[in-house]
Amino acid sequence: VGVRDVFAVPGDFNLMLLDHLIAEPGLNLVGCCNELNAGYAADGYARSRGVGACAVTFTVGGLSVINAIAGAYSENLPVICIVGGPNSNDYGTSRILHHTIGLPDFSQEYRCFQTVTCAQVIVNNLDDAHELIDHAISTALTESKPVYISISCNLPAIPHPSFHHDPAPYFLTSQ
């Protein structure tokens, strides 16, 4: 969709995802000193290039980047906010994980992003990952607003038959 630079802050829930982004030909991972800077860099990128992207870690990163995402929402900028989320095996358990607010409910960050993004998806299995991600990205481009994509930290390294190396052609239908 035209993103060549992703502004990121490493954290333990997004490290595997960032490893795969670094390995992606034609994609430059730009390390930022904090999540708010990553979000504002993605905002500026969207202003100059049409769409921007940032990648942060779960809750501590997501709640830090949300002010920049809210600003992009008010300015009608398509920013793709990617969050490395909890391990898919932790959903539905009563575990309290680090980087949370001390509750076994992992939806707090998601609920916060509902008011400042036009689409929110949580990818915690591979079977529908491509549909969820495509839906979020196409919604960001169609509505010219930010989106929230959470990807469970254990999924980026798992091969899946629906994934292939060459990018799929991407078309938006006119409304």
Side-chain angles (χ1 to χ4, degrees):
V1 297
V3 173
R4 298 288 173 249
D5 298 293
V6 176
F7 302 93
V9 177
D12 52 355
F13 284 113
N14 71 359
L15 292 176
M16 195 176 303
L17 175 64
L18 296 181
D19 285 344
H20 286 275
L21 292 177
I22 288 169
E24 188 63 32
L27 191 64
N28 182 34
L29 194 66
V30 179
C32 297
C33 62
N34 64 53
E35 293 83 356
L36 189 58
N37 288 352
Y40 282 128
D43 173 302
Y45 193 91
R47 291 172 191 268
S48 67
R49 301 286 302 268
V51 59
C54 59
V56 299
T57 196
F58 179 63
T59 304
V60 66
L63 296 180
S64 183
V65 76
I66 199 165
N67 284 322
I69 299 304
Y73 187 88
S74 69
E75 295 287 332
N76 298 315
L77 297 169
V79 173
I80 301 163
C81 183
I82 306 162
V83 174
N87 188 303
S88 62
N89 298 314
D90 288 326
Y91 282 90
T93 68
S94 294
R95 294 183 183 138
I96 296 174
L97 301 179
H98 65 293
H99 288 275
T100 67
I101 61 164
L103 299 173
D105 175 12
F106 303 153
S107 68
Q108 181 200 21
E109 178 183 87
Y110 174 86
R111 291 191 318 269
C112 289
F113 274 89
Q114 286 179 316
T115 60
V116 294
T117 57
C118 64
Q120 312 81 35
V121 298
I122 296 176
V123 178
N124 57 19
N125 73 74
L126 294 178
D127 292 333
D128 61 353
H130 59 287
E131 286 121 356
L132 291 171
I133 293 167
D134 287 351
H135 164 73
I137 293 172
S138 64
T139 303
L141 297 174
T142 302
E143 296 188 22
S144 193
K145 295 280 189 186
V147 294
Y148 169 87
I149 301 173
S150 175
I151 301 175
S152 290
C153 63
N154 60 315
L155 298 184
I158 301 173
H160 192 270
S162 68
F163 301 155
H164 44 79
H165 190 67
D166 295 331
Y170 187 80
F171 302 99
L172 282 175
T173 57
S174 58
Q175 299 286 357

